[in-house]
Amino acid sequence: MEIDSGSSHFTDFRSSDSNPNSGGCMNPMVVNAFPVGIVHVISSSGNVEGEGELRMEPSVGLEFDSADEAREFYGLYAMRVGFKIRTGQLYRSRRDGSVSSRRFVCSKEGFQLNSRTGCPAFIRVQRRDSGKWVIDQIQKDHNHELGLEGESSSPVLQQGPPPVVAKSLVEVLRRPKVKMLGQVDNGVLSPSSIINFKKQKQSGDGRQSTAEPYTGLEFNTANEAYEYYQVYAESVGFRVRIGQLFRSKNDGSITSRRFVCSKEGFQHPSRVGCGAFMRIKRTDSGSWMVDRLNKDHNHDLEVQTVCQKKFSTASKKFIEEETNGMVSVDLGEMNNSKITKRSRENKIGTDWYPVLLDYFQTKQVEDTGFFYSVEVDNGSCRSVFWADGRSRYSCSQFGDVIIFDTSYRKSNYEVPFATFIGVNHHKQPVLLGSALIANESKECFTWLFQTWFKAMSWCRPKSIIADQDIAIQQTITEVFPGTHHRFSSWQIRAKERENLRSMPIEFRYEYEKCIYESQTTVEFNTTWNSLINKYSLKGNVWLQHMYDKRESWVPLYLRGKFFAGIPIGESVESFFGTQVNGQTSLREFISRYEQGLEQRREEERKEDFNSFNLQAFSQTKEAIEEQCKRLYTFTIFKIFQDELLQSYSYIGIKTYEEGTICRYLVRRSGSENDKHAVTFSAVNLSVNCSCQMFEFEGVLCRHVLKVFKLLSIRELPSQYILPRWLRNAEYRILCGGESGVSSQELKAFMVWSLRETACKYVECGTSSVEKYKLAHEIMREGGKKLY
């Protein structure tokens, strides 16, 4: 998860297998596209193997083994033509949450940045039943000039590295990357070319004599590559900073990193825009390979003395990113091989506070509901939290499920910007608060969560999605007792990749099956223990920890908790997308923040208008469908309608009856595997299904709807129509109330509901003198009825 900034909804859409634009799919071709910087194998005839594939243009029907291969292929095509690409919108299957189609677009698509021109060029790939990905839509025309620039051009292989050992074409096609072999290690030809730092010799002045980097050089870990580049930089005469990183959209793990000269960029007067860098990319085997390199500096070099303090500020930031922020309170600082503990420093620049405070004061003049708070420690500003009136009102509507989004931890950030996100009645993300986090200690998170809780009139969430951080876990337990904490999917995937990398393929298959296919807790526990015993993993600390925390990440344990249908196992989209992130400068932050917020709220207004003014199409003549069409928003009605249509494909058989309790077995026609147990009580028309869709998403499933049809129940009982999904969700307390709502929460909701209505009334009443007089008269007459 990794996050995808192209989508506006949390809703998963099931893609169709048929498409009017996919007429050329009769004879698909499987393409193994190679990533940038690949070393091609020379055949006996002297030709470069695979060159025809790399020169191929995208066309409808072209087939790939994976979506990543399609992206790499399109990236190579773009490089050749003269443009850059971005990952665009994706769609997911509502059946299992898996990605069903993806769009890769020109980098100038859209208008979010000044550099973008709304370019329409793109390709869309769709997953077939065979598992292959096929281009089904394409647009090659651009609305801007094309031309290679910057790093878009193919990197030139550095001269000097040892010769490449040729491999067979079959092996090359099987692997997406080709290793460069023949690294010289202490004068001996090494078969793996992976640097072992224990074997590095030192020169007479005490510095390590490190060979110059070159494209194809490999390392065991990214940290080794960083240390190697630091030693090299020291010997040459410059310093190193941690540059940009990229993460996999599938599991959130780091796929490539850049280490740059300290004088890169222009953010500081001492920087001169130096272009020297080394980029490493993770290979399939888990090692890291240099795939891009620039040794040229635009400034004088000066050999530095040996630095005794090995663990620099940049190193600390690098370790935090490599560990996905799992170390939360203290950070070990290595000095002369001794580890000392120190508290993390405030990552927020002092220049941010006056700018933000000025912005807050300006907003308070415009918005009486605007709230902000600054954490002060020994007279110094630390963390900052703020939320406008609309966010506070939205929390009274949709604060039952929140996402604490700390996406800044996924990249090399300048400022730790975090957000509290909710899900509205259109399944769109809504902002419930913003923050700058001074550090990642328990004390900092406790202050932030308590401040959010107070700002939101003490509305306690039912569930929260946040990182698997010890400090965050402890804070949620203390501040929100009883709230279910679900771990962020990107972090789970990243840790799985790190801890299970050395395990055999068979283990990985059985591990995935245990987690995602277990139907009962007994089945999960039995399968897990069998897996641990089979592969002798009783001593694996990470697996034991994850088993202890299974209720926070295993789908089986999460299905019975309400998460507004946010898919399990997939990352959640960032609210601001790429407009505001950890790299956004102070100069642009406020304007981008306001622009991104207004864009999201405009999308919400459009959905509100559509739900109230447009009529959805009925697919059946069922009274239950007409009932839900009147009540639900478009988005929720489509989900319900799909479940209703699917119920026609199921058979219901009564298996048990005692008094007012009946139990049914509901299974799909022609399938013995797709079956669920539905229990119905005639006393209060209560029902529950083993699939637990209603408990998780708040919409009744096809299995229950089948039983309702058998029992001739023509309308949904009121307890199964969640007010948060209604068209008039903002007035839901006035439409019958909700069970379990405290008097304090009810009062808070009424305050924000009346405040929001009054704001709209004031805005309309001040548009002219005539409307002002009319509005004033209406309020005066209305006030007489209240007193």
Side-chain angles (χ1 to χ4, degrees), residues 223 311 314-325 331:
N223 197 32
F311 208 85
S315 299
K316 286 183 285 186
K317 187 182 296 183
F318 178 69
I319 294 299
E320 291 170 29
E321 292 164 355
E322 288 296 296
T323 58
N324 291 311
L331 193 63

Side-chain angles (χ1 to χ4, degrees), residues 503-562:
M503 301 302 295
I505 297 176
E506 294 79 7
F507 169 83
R508 183 73 183 189
Y509 171 77
E510 294 179 44
Y511 171 84
E512 296 275 349
K513 188 175 182 181
C514 171
I515 292 170
Y516 296 104
E517 296 185 18
S518 295
Q519 297 299 317
T520 65
T521 56
V522 173
E523 181 184 355
F524 174 81
N525 291 328
T526 302
T527 308
W528 180 278
N529 292 328
S530 175
L531 194 62
I532 296 299
N533 293 329
K534 179 179 178 180
Y535 291 92
S536 303
L537 296 171
K538 286 186 177 180
N540 190 301
V541 178
W542 182 79
L543 283 174
Q544 182 59 49
H545 173 73
M546 295 307 291
Y547 178 76
D548 294 339
K549 295 292 184 179
R550 58 192 179 278
E551 293 185 357
S552 294
W553 66 282
V554 176
L556 168 66
Y557 292 90
L558 295 172
R559 284 204 303 257
K561 310 295 181 181
F562 184 70

Side-chain angles (χ1 to χ4, degrees), residues 70-86:
R71 189 186 194 283
E72 291 171 352
F73 169 82
Y74 193 50
L76 288 172
Y77 163 75
M79 183 189 306
R80 184 155 43 85
V81 173
F83 66 98
K84 296 180 181 179
I85 70 168
R86 290 188 295 109

Side-chain angles (χ1 to χ4, degrees), residues 94-114:
R94 283 202 58 249
R95 181 170 301 171
D96 55 13
S98 61
V99 177
S100 57
S101 68
R102 302 204 68 130
R103 281 169 55 98
F104 305 117
V105 302
C106 174
S107 62
K108 292 184 180 292
E109 181 264 355
F111 298 95
Q112 295 91 331
L113 300 177
N114 293 333

Side-chain angles (χ1 to χ4, degrees), residues 84-284:
K84 296 180 181 179
I85 70 168
R86 290 188 295 109
T87 300
Q89 197 170 18
L90 62 77
Y91 296 91
R92 298 186 182 277
S93 165
R94 283 202 58 249
R95 181 170 301 171
D96 55 13
S98 61
V99 177
S100 57
S101 68
R102 302 204 68 130
R103 281 169 55 98
F104 305 117
V105 302
C106 174
S107 62
K108 292 184 180 292
E109 181 264 355
F111 298 95
Q112 295 91 331
L113 300 177
N114 293 333
S115 61
R116 298 186 185 174
T117 61
C119 180
F122 77 97
I123 66 169
R124 191 181 84 165
V125 290
Q126 192 171 59
R127 192 185 67 227
R128 299 304 191 200
D129 291 340
S130 62
K132 302 292 185 182
W133 292 77
V134 177
I135 296 179
D136 70 330
Q137 291 184 12
I138 187 169
Q139 171 61 262
K140 293 184 180 180
D141 296 332
H142 298 259
N143 64 359
H144 56 91
E145 293 183 0
L146 301 178
L148 296 177
E149 53 181 298
E151 291 183 8
S152 294
S153 57
S154 300
V156 179
L157 293 179
Q158 304 292 320
Q159 295 182 356
V164 179
V165 178
K167 297 185 178 182
S168 69
L169 179 60
V170 174
E171 184 176 356
V172 171
L173 292 178
R174 185 181 299 123
R175 296 173 55 83
K177 302 178 181 66
V178 180
K179 288 185 180 179
M180 294 192 68
L181 304 181
Q183 163 66 20
V184 177
D185 191 358
N186 289 337
V188 181
L189 192 65
S190 169
S192 65
S193 85
I194 297 179
I195 296 287
N196 186 336
F197 281 90
K198 293 182 180 180
K199 297 181 181 179
Q200 293 292 312
K201 293 183 178 180
Q202 292 189 345
S203 59
D205 60 0
R207 293 192 303 272
Q208 288 180 322
S209 57
T210 305
E212 289 201 356
Y214 57 84
T215 304
L217 190 60
E218 286 198 19
F219 305 88
N220 282 313
T221 65
N223 197 32
E224 282 191 0
Y226 176 61
E227 291 175 5
Y228 165 84
Y229 197 53
Q230 275 194 316
V231 174
Y232 163 73
E234 184 182 310
S235 65
V236 173
F238 67 98
R239 294 184 180 180
V240 178
R241 286 193 297 110
I242 308 296
Q244 195 174 18
L245 62 77
F246 295 93
R247 292 185 180 270
S248 166
K249 286 188 175 292
N250 294 326
D251 56 19
S253 62
I254 299 173
T255 57
S256 67
R257 304 207 63 130
R258 280 169 58 100
F259 306 124
V260 302
C261 174
S262 62
K263 293 184 179 292
E264 181 263 356
F266 299 95
Q267 297 92 328
H268 190 274
S270 63
R271 300 184 186 177
V272 294
C274 180
F277 75 95
M278 181 179 83
R279 193 181 86 163
I280 57 174
K281 194 170 184 178
R282 193 183 65 228
T283 67
D284 285 351

